[in-house]
Amino acid sequence: MTHGTEKPTSYLRELRGITLLLALAIFLTPILYLARDVKSQLELLAASRSDNVQWSLSQVELEYYRYENNLLMALEMPDGTLDELRRSFDIFYSRIQIVKRGDIYSSIHGEPQIAEALTSVTTYLDSTARLMDGDDPALVAALPELLTHAQTLRAQLRAISLRGIMVFAARSDAQREDISQTLLRLAAGTLFLIFTLTALLLWLIHLFRLNARREQQLKRSSQQTEAIVATSLDAVIVANRSGQVIEFNGAAEKIFGYARAEAIGQPMHELIIPDGLRAQHLEAMRRYLSTGEKHYLGAGRIRLQAKRKSGAVFPVEVSVSSVLAGKDEIFVSYIRDITKSLEREEALQKARDDALVGERAKTQFLAVMSHEMRTPLNGLLGTLELMDDTALTPQQRKYLDTMRVSGRLLLHHVNDVLQISRSDSGSETLSETPFEIDTTVAEIVESQRALAHRNGNIIRTERIGTLPRSVSGDERKLRQILLNLVGNAVKFTKDGAITIEIERVGQVQDVAMIEFRVIDTGIGIAEADLTRIFDDFVTLDTTYGRRAEGTGLGLGIARRYAETMGGEVGVESEEGEGCAFWLRVPLTEVADAVASEQADEPVTQLATKPLDILIVEDNEINRFVLREMLLKMGHRVIEAHNGRDGVEEAAYRHYDVIFMDISMPQMDGFEATRAIRSGSGPSRATRIVAVTAHALPSEVAQFEAAGMNDWIIKPVSGQKLRALFGALPTATARGKVPSSAPRLLDHDALQELRESLPPGSFIKLLKSFIVETDIAVATLTGRVATTATPEALSLIHQTAGACGTFGAERLRKALSSIEARCKGGETVEIDGKLIPIWDETRTALKALLEDATA
Amino acid sequence: MNFEMRIGMGGILKAFVLCSLMCGGAFAGTLPTPQSDILLTVEGDIANTNTEGRAEFDMALLQTLPTVTIRTNTIWTEGVQEFRGVQLSDLLEAVGAQGDMIYATAVNDYAIEIPVTDGVDGGPIIAYQQNGQEMSVRTQGPLWLVYPYDSNADYQSEVIYSRSIWQLVRMEITD
């Protein structure tokens, strides 16, 4: 800590002080000297060593004349005058003695005239004294001579007197001159001093004013500072280097509970630092003072603990800075009591946490509820399907249809809710699978064609520009979004057109941004509703509501999925003119091979041989439904009621397929699968199919990790099972997978038929086709067909033709093949082959029929 | 004090009684009569006398009073002088002086007024010896009122010098 800027100022200040003192000394010294001089002169005057010299000198002459007078009187009459003579002589004598010996006359002794005169007088006095001391006669006799002699002294005495007066007068003059000179010098000195003092005074006045002004400014600024400090809402505590409090403002009083007077001068650490932190504080302070290492200093706002007078410790926000006040370093602390704001913060955080917990709980609740609802629904729907194959009156069948439609709708709603809650709980993840855009769109269009026709709509697809053939992405989500958009368009359009446009609108490296536009000529959406249409649970006005049955979650799910995929979804519409929903998603272009290989997989291949199947499922209804379906398909089924039983059963004998429920008490599906795979039982290599409520990518990964080969989503349906078995390598198909199995259905042909007929007729025709084919297949099975059996050949031909009309491609091919062989002269035994083909075809057609009537 | 005394008591008798009380038995109202040449006559407002209204002193009588010696320079002499004599205050006490002022007269009729207040302890003396010798008229004797000039600068003034009367013969105490 250097005071580099301070030094010159203080030097200057000292220099100025020294200069002032020096000046005073310079002025005072001569004055004092003069004053002393004057004093000594005055003392000299006062001490007046002179007596009245002139008077004394004149007295000499006077005494002489008295003596001379007495001489004359004694001459005339000696008797009685001699004593008087003697006395006057003595007095005269004494006068001369004084003049001769006295200090005050020493100055005139040097005068030749006076010295000569004194010598003459002394000679006379000495000689006369002897006579005076002698007897009277001798004295009387000498009187005349004494007189004569005395009279000669007159001139001498006169000289002494005059000369003395002159000398003393001169001396007096000199002395006066001296005094006047001294006084003059004193006056000059005094004048100079007065002048200097006046100058000094003026300078002092100037300084005083300057100081007063500075003081005023200082006072003002200090008042401002004080006001700022006093009104500060934060406590302001100022301490010196030794930690003593030197300022303590009102807010500090309020916060800490000490009165200002109480706090001033006290060590800050004893006042406000909690006992536990004191040592640390003192150490930090000591380190700062010795090394300059900063801890809190200038670190901005920091959160610490502080202590009140009551000893209560509370949280504060502190900002400490070091300031140079003159030469002294002081520490200014701004302290804010954040007890309340912390409480608020905590309350807020708690509220948020609570809300989040509540939200999660809600989502969880929804997920659990919808999941739990699906299980009984699964049972209901499965049972309905089974009931369909029993003998029913037309009335009952109608009821059954209604129940089925309602059940499916309910399932649809539950699925919607489940998807939303899953999406909101963040468990929604993206899967990457290769697929063909065209195929996906075509399938969606196909699934909606029947409904579109029923509403008198034309539905068509338009590809704009060049599109990637195969892409990789979450096909399931894309399919669902598009299905929703197309489904809506179909629902809300009457006697119009629905166009699906596909266009590549951007490309970054191998990622293409594909825009799907679903344009309809339907009722449209009011502008005011456009912004909230993608919100959850939105069903628009009454018209819309009447026409649409739904949870209002469809578009909400579409939006979520689009966002999850990194894309977006939107709508443009004019009420009454129709809507244009668009979906933009990034899809990665991949080589065709992947997609086509996938596409070529014989997914529809049938398992023709009865299989040994183990069902591991704890839920009785689910078990029942699955069992019945499999039995109906001609398989042999064994049940296990939980995972452990399942594992035991699998260890006991060989199964071709094991259906494994996932969530079971005691031992879940994963564990059971692992146990089977890791065991040495005859079924350790058996194909295991997971039966699950949902097949999220993460779960699929888990299935695979556990050793499962495939999965099937609840509710289980015959169609799903057949699709599954189609993909299942069976005993007969193993090793020779048909390279080009014919398609089950020719959708294009069906569509063509559908578009060429009124919807009601199409359904009616399709239904009679199914009935007729049922009969035909039943009739033909087990028979021998040759050219010799024309009615059989005719039936085969008719049925094949009908199959062509209704797109039952695989059955048509099978029948055509028999017909061709017969015509070639062969005798063909018609075995049970036709039955599974027709079964699957019929299921597919029935599903289509349901869609169309839904 | 003197003023009060005059107002409060008045009369010679009372003053005499008072002085007798103050001075003790030695000079009870009267002084011894001088036997040889009279050197000093004190008259005027005094309580103690030895002849009609006056107090007359010869050398012997003076020497019965307390003797004081002072050493000092004077402007009228050369070098330090030793004077022996009676303190003015002692003398004034001996005569029971009542006034404020002393009118002192010399043999040559030189006269000067001296305030009674000059008579203090350590103050002027009426010297009768100089350097161990009795003084004649020729050497400013036989009595010389000498102040101790060296001991006090106040005594080095023209007024004091004029009061330093030599060849002193008479003192009259007045109001």
Side-chain angles (χ1 to χ4, degrees), chain A residues 526-715:
Chain A
E527 202 184 336
D529 295 326
L530 282 176
T531 49
R532 62 187 190 98
I533 190 133
F534 290 100
D535 292 345
D536 293 334
F537 305 110
V538 171
T539 51
L540 298 182
D541 62 41
T542 45
T543 320
Y544 206 95
R546 259 205 315 279
R547 286 201 203 174
E549 299 137 328
T551 51
L553 288 171
L555 285 174
I557 294 168
R559 174 178 55 82
R560 281 182 176 78
Y561 279 5
E563 283 165 3
T564 308
M565 291 172 79
E568 56 182 330
V569 66
V571 64
E572 288 155 25
S573 175
E574 271 185 40
E575 203 165 6
E577 299 287 313
C579 305
F581 280 88
W582 51 263
L583 164 72
R584 263 192 292 270
V585 285
L587 295 167
T588 311
E589 269 187 82
V590 294
D592 285 350
V594 186
S596 53
E597 193 182 308
Q598 186 100 354
D600 286 348
E601 231 172 78
V603 287
T604 53
Q605 196 194 1
L606 286 172
T608 52
K609 189 191 163 201
L611 301 169
D612 288 316
I613 295 175
L614 174 65
I615 302 173
V616 186
E617 164 72 78
D618 64 320
N619 185 287
E620 198 186 333
I621 297 168
N622 285 347
R623 210 165 53 230
F624 167 77
V625 170
L626 186 55
R627 183 190 67 214
E628 290 303 309
M629 284 181 175
L630 290 171
L631 285 176
K632 215 175 84 188
M633 288 167 79
H635 302 298
R636 292 180 289 274
V637 176
I638 299 293
E639 296 172 47
H641 293 200
N642 59 50
R644 188 158 298 131
D645 289 354
V647 173
E648 274 175 25
E649 194 58 47
Y652 178 65
R653 55 172 285 199
H654 168 78
Y655 289 96
D656 294 314
V657 179
I658 298 173
F659 283 95
M660 183 71 77
D661 185 31
I662 295 302
S663 51
M664 287 181 292
Q666 291 180 352
M667 186 184 272
D668 70 13
F670 296 118
E671 212 179 323
T673 304
R674 276 193 290 270
I676 292 166
R677 288 277 184 252
S678 61
S680 55
S683 292
R684 68 176 184 280
T686 295
R687 176 154 202 145
I688 299 177
V689 178
V691 181
T692 176
H694 33 72
L696 301 176
S698 60
E699 285 173 328
V700 170
Q702 272 182 298
F703 300 153
E704 283 169 4
M708 292 170 173
N709 306 79
D710 219 327
W711 42 270
I712 183 167
I713 297 175
K714 296 180 198 174

Side-chain angles (χ1 to χ4, degrees), chain A residues 46-49 51-52 55 63 66 87 89-91 93-95 97-98 101-104 129 132-133, chain B residues 73-79 107-110 136-140 144 153 155-158 161-162 166-167:
Chain A
S48 176
R49 296 184 51 77
D51 196 355
N52 201 327
W55 188 80
E63 298 301 343
R66 268 192 194 155
R87 195 164 63 219
F89 175 78
D90 284 352
I91 292 170
Y93 186 98
S94 79
R95 284 286 168 198
Q97 289 303 314
I98 293 287
R101 298 213 192 99
D103 275 354
I104 52 168
M132 288 291 172
D133 295 343
Chain B
N73 283 290
T74 81
I75 58 171
W76 307 279
T77 54
E78 222 178 344
V107 72
N108 66 340
D109 297 332
Y110 174 84
S136 67
V137 174
R138 292 179 198 166
T139 53
Q140 284 78 39
W144 187 356
Y155 288 143
Q156 298 170 25
S157 74
E158 203 130 0
Y161 295 147
S162 68
W166 59 68
Q167 297 160 342

